[in-house]
Amino acid sequence: MPRPIALAFKALCSILGWKQGDFARALGLSRNTLRRIETGESELTPEREEAAKAILGVTDEEVEAALHLATLVLERLDREAAGGAPSPAADRRRTRLAKAFDTAARDVRAFLETRLRAIEVAEAKEEAAELWQELATVSREERLLRVETCDEFLTPAFLARLCDESEKAAAHRASEAVALADLALKVAERAPGTEGQRTGRLAYAWGFVGNARRVSNALGAAEAAFEISRELGSQSADEEREFFDPARRLDLEASLRRDQGRFDEALSLLEQALAACHPDSRVRLLLIQAATWEQHGEPERALAVLEEARPAIESGEGGLRFRWMLRFNLVRNLLHLERTSEAAALLPELQALAAQIANEMDILRLRWLEAVVRAASGQRGDALIQLGAVRREFAARALPGDAALVGLYEAQLLLREGQNAEVSALVREMSPIFNALRLEREALAAVRLFLAAAERDAATVAMARDAARSVCRLPRRTQ
């Protein structure tokens, strides 16, 4: 009589497409020896059992599922053998058992196929990580050459990795974010696959191109990229969801809409993304949603969303990066609500996190935030010195949008002190920044009004604030 464990492995081999001869050789056995194990004449040692699991790529739970089915079959055979020739009732029972076994086998097959696909995806991502380590140390020109000449880089997993690296770079080096997104687009164009797969990959890559252009303050070019992404996305069927989360393109476009001041559209896109996202993306989307409510002028709602995200972040989700983002945005929104002492109390932890993360752009933005806290605490002289240094650093990094926002905040502080002449000097110093920004027509009216008034020493806080809103919310582009 066959042993249950041997029959279980035989069933697993059948489900997974293994021929018995190939399975025997992989185990280091002859075909006859494996047959004797299956018939109960020989034992399957614990060592061979572990080797069989490793060869088939199955877990203990999956073997148990197959073993349960094998035991049911053998128990039925034992009972029928003891009763002699099967009766009509036994025949019916056997038929029902066969149907039940077929159903269970299909369930086990589906379970194993899902499991094996997850293993394949994990291995593909691990290989993509190794390939990225290889490219991370070479020049941009060398990266492009390798992608254009080596097929090993043309996989969905490596494309997804490049997109992730582009987004990471966006936090501190916009030019690197653009280069990596463009490289991802090259992979999407060259990678083999069905038309549906190719369209889906291109849609995904164009979304990250749009995001990289956005953080470079090139909002017009970002708009064009997202238009392509949307068009391609409408033609694809998300065939490779294991690599390309369909929510990503939505939340990246939402960030563009937020920067453009189209907040209702941004919030709608984020709601769609939250409904469609992988579970491990939810906290990140909540942080983006909070930032959108803040820019929409709703700090209370922003704080509510941050509090919703806090438990998962405090438990470790997202690591240091999410802890930094949570506290940074808490401080910003507390300042909007004039809860200055609460905001100031969070600065030491932010400073410690910035030191741990060691990201230059994080440190620069923290210096900006510290200056705002100082100004709100009445230390306007110190705040103005620090703001000027931050503004010049942003300009040196070719981020005129951020530089303009810092400068316009400086102008508001000076105007509150009645220092109109200093505002005129500041505006003259910022002239290259506004020229580099090249604001679109809608923003020009508010900015020109402020600039013209500043030249006449007639600017007001309201004018500076309106100009800042225009810079923040409306499309702008750099050369």
Side-chain angles (χ1 to χ4, degrees):
M1 180 65 68
R3 298 297 175 89
I5 187 63
L7 186 57
F9 278 116
K10 188 169 185 177
L12 289 168
C13 283
S14 176
I15 289 169
L16 297 173
W18 276 80
K19 294 180 180 180
Q20 289 295 285
D22 292 338
F23 183 53
R25 283 190 291 275
L27 274 174
L29 301 173
S30 68
R31 179 67 185 86
N32 287 335
T33 301
L34 181 59
R35 186 179 295 111
R36 286 196 298 272
I37 291 172
E38 291 170 351
T39 59
E41 299 173 51
S42 297
E43 291 289 338
L44 184 67
T45 65
E47 292 78 16
R48 294 286 189 194
E49 184 178 334
E50 291 302 316
K53 292 177 188 176
I55 290 166
L56 296 177
V58 295
T59 65
D60 291 341
E61 293 79 8
E62 292 158 358
V63 173
E64 284 295 327
L67 186 58
H68 178 64
L69 295 175
T71 302
L72 288 176
V73 172
L74 292 174
E75 287 176 354
R76 175 62 64 185
L77 291 174
D78 283 340
R79 287 196 295 272
E80 291 182 359
S87 65
D91 279 337
R92 289 193 295 274
R93 287 195 299 273
R94 185 161 53 213
T95 299
R96 287 197 299 272
L97 178 62
K99 290 181 179 178
F101 185 85
D102 287 343
T103 300
R106 284 195 298 272
D107 292 342
V108 172
R109 182 181 294 108
F111 177 72
L112 289 175
E113 287 175 351
T114 300
R115 171 72 178 171
L116 290 173
R117 178 58 178 164
I119 293 172
E120 290 172 359
V121 169
E123 290 175 347
K125 290 181 178 179
E126 184 176 346
E127 182 179 351
E130 293 173 358
L131 289 172
W132 167 247
Q133 290 302 315
E134 178 183 329
L135 284 193
T137 58
V138 302
S139 68
R140 294 176 184 175
E141 293 76 14
E142 178 66 18
R143 291 174 189 173
L144 179 59
L145 178 63
R146 294 194 192 183
V147 164
E148 289 180 333
T149 57
C150 301
D151 290 348
E152 64 181 337
F153 295 103
L154 306 181
T155 68
F158 187 67
L159 168 59
R161 181 60 185 244
L162 282 177
C163 289
D164 288 344
E165 293 298 331
S166 173
E167 187 176 22
K168 290 178 186 176
H172 53 94
R173 283 189 297 164
S175 62
E176 179 71 354
V178 171
L180 289 172
D182 287 343
L183 190 63
L185 189 60
K186 180 66 69 175
V187 171
E189 291 170 345
R190 293 198 63 236
T194 67
E195 187 61 29
Q197 289 171 337
R198 184 174 181 276
T199 302
R201 294 167 188 171
L202 284 168
Y204 194 76
W206 272 109
F208 285 83
V209 170
N211 185 65
R213 292 175 178 178
R214 176 186 69 83
V215 299
S216 299
N217 291 334
L219 299 195
E223 178 73 55
F226 280 114
E227 286 179 6
I228 297 172
S229 180
R230 280 197 310 276
E231 177 62 26
L232 291 170
S234 68
Q235 301 170 22
S236 68
D238 294 325
E239 293 183 27
E240 297 173 309
R241 291 175 63 94
E242 305 98 328
F243 301 107
F244 310 126
D245 184 347
R248 294 311 314 278
R249 290 186 295 109
L250 294 168
D251 82 68
L252 293 175
E253 185 176 354
S255 294
L256 173 65
R257 300 299 167 221
R258 181 189 69 210
D259 287 357
Q260 293 173 324
R262 294 156 63 174
F263 295 108
D264 289 341
E265 293 177 48
L267 290 166
S268 175
L269 285 166
L270 287 171
E271 286 297 332
Q272 294 175 52
L274 282 164
C277 72
H278 294 161
D280 56 3
S281 297
R282 180 171 177 77
V283 171
R284 180 181 56 80
L285 288 172
L286 288 173
L287 290 171
I288 296 171
Q289 189 179 51
T292 305
W293 279 120
E294 179 196 350
Q295 285 198 20
H296 196 13
E298 298 277 0
E300 296 92 346
R301 287 194 169 187
L303 285 174
V305 175
L306 291 172
E307 289 302 327
E308 183 180 348
R310 185 198 286 268
I313 293 174
E314 299 294 10
S315 68
E317 185 168 340
L320 292 176
R321 187 80 218 156
F322 278 11
R323 287 178 61 195
W324 159 268
M325 293 171 68
L326 173 68
R327 284 155 180 77
F328 188 89
N329 288 295
L330 283 171
V331 171
R332 287 174 59 97
N333 285 284
L334 288 168
L335 287 170
H336 289 315
L337 295 170
E338 299 183 357
R339 293 159 60 177
T340 307
S341 60
E342 294 176 65
L346 291 173
L347 286 180
E349 188 174 2
L350 263 179
Q351 291 160 348
L353 286 169
Q356 286 181 273
I357 297 171
N359 180 313
E360 291 182 2
M361 286 301 296
D362 286 344
I363 294 169
L364 185 57
R365 293 185 188 281
L366 177 57
R367 286 169 55 200
W368 182 1
L369 193 63
E370 289 169 340
V372 176
V373 172
R374 284 195 176 117
S377 303
Q379 305 171 47
R380 291 185 179 174
D382 291 342
L384 284 166
I385 293 171
Q386 187 161 339
L387 286 167
V390 170
R391 168 172 47 81
R392 286 185 279 274
E393 182 66 24
F394 275 131
R397 291 172 179 267
L399 292 171
D402 293 304
L405 288 173
V406 176
L408 288 166
Y409 183 73
E410 289 179 78
Q412 293 176 56
L413 293 182
L414 290 168
L415 289 167
R416 288 192 181 99
E417 297 292 325
Q419 300 180 38
N420 291 56
E422 285 78 358
V423 172
S424 298
L426 174 63
V427 166
R428 287 192 292 273
E429 183 182 348
M430 289 177 61
S431 179
I433 293 172
F434 285 113
N435 290 336
L437 194 59
R438 296 184 63 201
L439 291 164
E440 304 287 347
R441 180 179 301 174
E442 295 92 336
L444 281 174
V447 173
R448 282 177 173 167
L449 178 64
F450 166 73
L451 296 177
E455 288 296 329
R456 303 191 311 271
D457 289 345
T460 66
V461 173
M463 288 178 183
R465 188 183 300 118
D466 288 343
R469 289 193 182 116
S470 296
V471 172
C472 181
R473 295 182 179 180
L474 292 171
R476 55 191 184 271
R477 59 181 183 273
T478 55
Q479 293 285 6

